[in-house]
Amino acid sequence: MVHSTRRGLRRAAAAVVATTLLVAGCSQGQDPAPEAATVAPTLEPQKAAAPDPVVAPTWPLTGVAGEPVNRPALAVKIENTATARPQSGLDQADVVWETIVEFEVSRFVAVWHSQVPEELGPVRSVRPMDPDIVSPMNGLLTFSGGQPGILDLVAASPVQVISHDAGAAGLYRISSRSAPHNVYADPAALWAQADANHQSSPGEQFAFARTAERATAVAAGTPATTLAFDLSSQSKPSWTWNGTVWERSEGSTPAVAASGARLSATNVVSIVADHPGTPFGAQNGAVVPTYTLVGSGEGTLATGGKTIPVRWQKDSRDAPMQLFTADGAPALLAPGNTWVELVPAGTGSLAIS
């Protein structure tokens, strides 16, 4: 029993000696164990900037979504006497400006871009206010003729002139009406004459909301059903909201195009501006008036069965007319066609009901 214990102690001592020698050998003859490596965190590459949102293209004169055809704005002087009605192509115009000329009758500057009617007319002569209306579009201005001084005003503007009296192609007389109410135009033939400086589509003339619900008058205006204009003793147009669009009447008579379509507008813009006489005369000594459109003034925007007061501003002949609300924010029209009523300051009026 004693011998067994001694043998166990000798074995334990030998194990201790062996372990000590092993440790010593490692420390003297081998490289120390490497320290644990520190691994830097993997960094994700910087994320790319978010792409710009895709904005659907729109037609510049209407704000309606679509792929605009690259062609110039086509402005045409259209007569609006009782003898001239119903006119051709007005139901397809993007914008129509109504002006009061001599003898207190109204005449239109109608502008086409997004649609191509088969025929336009009756086409009549140019007036002094026309360059201020059409110059911002840098397009084509078509008319039947004009006085030398007024023609000089137009020639000094950036538009391309297409005049029937000058023998331009695409203008002709029809046999179903008597002169001077029988000059008509083929719009495709007019566009075909655009020169190298008048090939491009116009810029946006008014600011448009992306949807009708976001239009300024719809969002913040006062409900209305009728816009009754008194532009002169001979011109008293009115517009009635039918739940979808504003429908035009000449006095109490519904206004229609030659196609039979009721003349209507998505937006009706009332612009109150001075209406002074000019040195130009008409028959029987009548004075040819114009409008003072460079500057600013009061107006009304009607959209979606509602109206809102606006301030208009036009910085130069070649600058588009801008509309602002009372707080200075841009007034947004609804996508669609627009009629602009130029109300003579001091003598014209608009009654809203």
Side-chain angles (χ1 to χ4, degrees), residues 316-332:
S316 68
R317 177 198 64 185
D318 300 347
M321 182 172 285
Q322 299 174 286
L323 305 178
F324 300 95
T325 57
D327 61 1
L332 304 180

Side-chain angles (χ1 to χ4, degrees), residues 159-177:
V159 302
Q160 179 182 340
V161 171
I162 300 178
S163 171
H164 176 251
D165 284 8
L171 292 153
Y172 48 86
R173 293 189 184 273
I174 63 173
S175 59
S176 58
R177 288 187 171 180

Side-chain angles (χ1 to χ4, degrees), residues 20 176 201:
T20 302
S176 58
S201 293

Side-chain angles (χ1 to χ4, degrees), residues 114-211:
S114 66
Q115 298 188 64
V116 182
E118 292 184 3
E119 189 173 58
L120 309 174
V123 180
R124 292 301 298 271
S125 53
V126 72
R127 288 297 182 271
M129 70 284 289
D130 298 342
D132 285 349
I133 293 173
V134 301
S135 289
M137 293 176 282
N138 192 40
L140 313 178
L141 175 57
T142 300
F143 48 85
S144 61
Q147 296 185 39
I150 301 176
L151 292 176
D152 291 342
L153 293 176
V154 178
S157 75
V159 302
Q160 179 182 340
V161 171
I162 300 178
S163 171
H164 176 251
D165 284 8
L171 292 153
Y172 48 86
R173 293 189 184 273
I174 63 173
S175 59
S176 58
R177 288 187 171 180
S178 60
H181 317 289
N182 62 347
V183 177
Y184 279 69
D186 173 0
L190 301 180
W191 267 306
Q193 299 174 60
D195 62 27
N197 295 322
H198 298 88
Q199 293 286 329
S200 299
S201 293
E204 191 175 79
Q205 298 299 295
F206 294 107
F208 289 95
R210 299 298 295 185
T211 64

Side-chain angles (χ1 to χ4, degrees), residues 7 27-28 42 52 57 61 75 77 97 130 212 234-235 239 251 258 265 272 333 340:
R7 284 197 297 271
S27 62
Q28 293 177 3
T42 301
D52 293 333
L61 300 185
K77 290 293 298 192
W97 297 70
D130 298 342
Q234 302 298 312
S235 181
W239 297 86
V272 179
L333 280 63
V340 182

